[in-house]
Structures are given as C-alpha cells and as structure tokens.
Amino acid sequence: MEYSHKELRQEMVDVCLESLHEGMFTGTSGNLSVALEDGTMLITPTSVRYTVMRPMDIVRCDLDGNIIEGDLQPSSEWRMHAAVYRAYPEHKAIFHTHSPYATAFAAVPCLKDGRGGCLLNNHGVLAVGRDLNEARTRAQYIEDSARIYHYALQVGEPFVLEKL
C-alpha cells in the first residue's frame, strides 16, 4: 500500500510514541527513517521529545543530509541511515534504538547475509526492513532476545543450541 508523505509522517510519530511507551525509546534517544522512491528519506528530527513530536516535525532530506522539507534538523545519526540505504537499497525503513537489554549486549554490527538487524558497538540496535513495521518488529525481537538472554544469565550459564 502506498502512503502519502503526510500519512508516513503520522505513522512515524505514532511508532515513536508507541516505542516510547514500550521502553524502546527514552527521552529523545532513538530514531527512525523511511526511504522514499525518489532517493530521499523521511527521518525523525534531532533533540525533539517524542511526547511533543508532530508529523510536520519529521524531516525530509537527501542522503547527503540536505534538508528538502522541514524546519528542524534531521536526527544527528542521519549519516548512519543514509549509509545503510546506500549499501542496502532493498531496505526501506530503519529503526534505531538504545533499548537497554540489547545495548548491554552490543557487539560489532553486521547487516550482511540477509540479517534484519544488528547490535552497534556500545550504541544500541539498528534494525532494517521493507517498511517501518518490519524494521520496528525486528528491533523488538532483538531487544526481547537480549532480555531473555539476560534472564538466562541470572540463573546460570545458558545452554546455547547449535545450528542444525
């Protein structure tokens, strides 16, 4: 289903608020973007609390950071989003979170081999997808897996299943 930029902006704000309430975002940490067909992206603005963010605050910029629409600055991590879209054009949405459990286990990133997300070294989660819902769901799964592993560590050495 094709969305207008207005609908996408509203969806992005809604996802940010839901993510804040789920504990995936805190304050102004975390950001998300959606790649557009014309080679630009919609991205959350920098330093705006999710409780006051409006659809008109979402910034449209090119992959060099030039603002095309919007009065605010794009996320300070726009370069990371642009680099992923350049390297992996099949992904159309990025969800970046500093969710607590996954960040505690963060390791070197890797999006190769069809992986839908990675842990950024000391910096949280970067999840990608065909759309915003898929990218967010992958970030939620990463956080949930990290939380489960954390709990497993509390009761002893977790048994790691071998790949079949």
Side-chain angles (χ1 to χ4, degrees), residues 3 6 12 14 25 31 38 48 60 66 91 94 104 107 113-114 123 130 132 142 147 150-151 162:
Y3 291 102
K6 181 179 178 182
M12 292 171 75
D14 293 345
F25 286 174
N31 46 72
D38 65 1
V48 175
R60 181 171 165 231
N66 298 306
H91 297 302
I94 297 172
D113 304 322
H123 194 70
R130 293 173 301 223
L132 192 53
I142 293 167
R147 182 177 24 253
H150 167 78
Y151 291 148
E162 298 294 324

Side-chain angles (χ1 to χ4, degrees), residues 58-123:
I58 302 294
V59 180
R60 181 171 165 231
C61 64
D62 64 21
L63 299 186
D64 293 321
N66 298 306
I67 297 172
I68 297 167
E69 294 174 10
D71 295 327
L72 301 174
Q73 293 298 307
S75 165
S76 60
E77 298 182 294
W78 69 264
R79 289 173 186 83
M80 176 176 63
H81 291 251
V84 171
Y85 291 134
R86 282 187 178 110
Y88 304 97
E90 68 274 17
H91 297 302
K92 302 301 180 195
I94 297 172
F95 187 95
H96 172 54
T97 178
H98 297 239
S99 54
Y101 288 93
T103 300
F105 290 104
V108 177
C110 181
L111 285 175
K112 297 178 185 174
D113 304 322
R115 294 185 177 127
C118 64
L119 298 174
L120 301 172
N121 195 17
N122 300 316
H123 194 70

Side-chain angles (χ1 to χ4, degrees), residues 24 99-103 138-148:
M24 298 290 285
S99 54
Y101 288 93
T103 300
R138 287 175 171 173
Q140 290 170 320
Y141 287 156
I142 293 167
E143 175 67 3
D144 192 49
S145 296
R147 182 177 24 253
I148 291 166

Side-chain angles (χ1 to χ4, degrees), residues 9-78:
R9 284 181 166 99
Q10 182 63 57
E11 181 183 5
M12 292 171 75
V13 170
D14 293 345
V15 167
C16 286
L17 283 171
E18 291 167 6
S19 299
L20 178 69
H21 295 298
E22 293 170 346
M24 298 290 285
F25 286 174
T26 303
T28 64
S29 73
N31 46 72
L32 52 91
S33 68
V34 175
L36 302 175
E37 294 298 322
D38 65 1
T40 64
M41 67 177 159
L42 293 176
I43 189 166
T44 51
T46 192
S47 302
V48 175
R49 296 187 69 77
Y50 298 110
T51 54
V52 298
M53 186 182 296
R54 301 163 301 164
M56 64 190 306
D57 295 331
I58 302 294
V59 180
R60 181 171 165 231
C61 64
D62 64 21
L63 299 186
D64 293 321
N66 298 306
I67 297 172
I68 297 167
E69 294 174 10
D71 295 327
L72 301 174
Q73 293 298 307
S75 165
S76 60
E77 298 182 294
W78 69 264

